[in-house]
Amino acid sequence: MTFDDIIQFRRSNRKFYPDQPVPKEVLHKALRHASLAPNSSNMQLWEFHWVQDEEKKKKLVHACLNQSAARTAQELVVIVTRRDKWRQRIKWHKKLILKDAERIGRDAKSIKLRLIYYTKLMPFSYMNDGFGILGLYRRFLSFCIGLVRPIYRAEGHAQQRITVHKSAALAAENFMLSMASEEFHTCPMEGFDGVRVKRILGLPRRAEINMVIGCGKGQKEGFWGPRRRLPNEEVIKVH
Ligand SMILES: Cc1cc2nc3c(=O)[nH]c(=O)nc-3n(C[C@H](O)[C@H](O)[C@H](O)COP(=O)(O)O)c2cc1C
């Protein structure tokens, strides 16, 4: 398939053939492709939960409001944001930077900049206290500096959540395009009970469900009408 073929093939399908399973290697490859998506500061604050256990699957379908895209899915994958894992990710980055430093020297500019980025800037962006004071402080600081020069405006919980969900959604799209390239359909879902989905997957409070994706070979009736999009002039703006 050409890239255009893949884009055209990927449509949300809500009724999958019950007798056409998705080969495990197709799923594994799509999950690897998901993890290669661009993501904020390469913090990879995401997880991809492929639910195979029949009992959990049943509960997940129920938590997805029993909608047909979940009920008929051969496979279900949940894209999860893990904002709470920022400390672990920083440790991982730091380890890699120090390894690189052994090769090119600790005084190399790139090493120093990367260390500052991951050991100062990232904690500053992701750290929180129980009262929202740090968020207010970041907002105030960004506002003051923003008066004199452009600055990345670090804020509080809401902004951190947007950041991780953006990256997770890109991973979801990578996953779905990869599935499409193997001629399998998907349906991303936000129609679910997030509290229940989290409980089924055993996730902590700060983890959030980005999307649940149903996968399989889509039936004709699974496409709900023709693919409709607004006219280009409405959404594509050239400046
Ligand atoms: C974030 C998100 C949430 C969605 N949630 C649902 C859902 O809960 N149930 C459903 O049937 N489709 C859902 N969809 C699919 C959209 O309805 C679909 O992508 C849209 O109608 C465009 O059609 P297409 O995917 O075939 O191009 C969702 C899509 C996205 C991106």
Side-chain angles (χ1 to χ4, degrees), residues 83 125-128 138 156-164:
R83 187 161 60 108
S125 296
Y126 280 102
M127 197 177 288
N128 285 308
R138 283 191 290 258
H157 288 284
Q159 194 212 30
Q160 291 166 356
R161 293 180 58 216
I162 290 170
T163 301
V164 292

Side-chain angles (χ1 to χ4, degrees), residues 55-219:
E55 207 44 50
K56 277 191 184 172
K57 234 167 145 179
K58 238 189 247 168
K59 285 183 185 162
L60 187 55
V61 170
H62 181 62
C64 289
L65 317 178
N66 210 29
Q67 54 175 305
S68 139
R71 207 174 56 245
T72 65
Q74 286 287 311
E75 301 294 341
L76 284 166
V77 168
V78 187
I79 313 285
V80 177
T81 65
R82 293 302 305 259
R83 187 161 60 108
D84 55 310
K85 289 209 158 175
W86 66 269
R87 282 191 177 85
Q88 278 120 297
R89 301 297 192 259
I90 284 174
K91 260 191 203 153
W92 180 77
H93 273 288
K94 198 174 165 194
K95 220 165 134 185
L96 288 178
I97 298 168
L98 293 177
K99 218 168 172 190
D100 288 345
E102 282 170 19
R103 212 166 20 87
I104 56 177
R106 219 188 153 115
D107 288 336
K109 199 172 168 197
S110 66
I111 299 289
K112 280 186 176 165
L113 287 177
R114 282 165 65 200
L115 272 177
I116 290 172
Y117 193 83
Y118 284 108
T119 60
K120 301 270 189 295
L121 220 63
M122 283 299 104
F124 180 69
S125 296
Y126 280 102
M127 197 177 288
N128 285 308
D129 57 280
F131 306 99
I133 293 167
L134 263 168
L136 279 176
Y137 173 65
R138 283 191 290 258
R139 208 178 190 140
F140 177 69
L141 201 66
S142 303
F143 171 78
C144 293
I145 300 173
L147 290 173
V148 288
R149 66 171 175 86
I151 179 156
Y152 173 75
R153 290 168 194 262
E155 296 175 12
H157 288 284
Q159 194 212 30
Q160 291 166 356
R161 293 180 58 216
I162 290 170
T163 301
V164 292
H165 277 280
K166 275 190 228 175
S167 299
L170 290 172
E173 178 68 344
N174 261 23
F175 174 83
M176 292 187 281
L177 291 179
S178 178
M179 293 293 287
S181 75
E182 297 287 345
E183 300 188 14
F184 284 96
H185 295 100
T186 48
C187 185
M189 287 171 264
E190 62 187 353
F192 53 74
D193 179 334
V195 174
R196 284 191 163 76
V197 177
K198 276 172 65 171
R199 205 179 298 140
I200 294 163
L201 303 179
L203 292 166
R205 192 168 64 90
R206 282 275 158 86
E208 287 182 10
I209 309 302
N210 176 257
M211 269 177 239
V212 180
I213 304 180
C215 315
K217 262 299 183 216
Q219 301 189 31

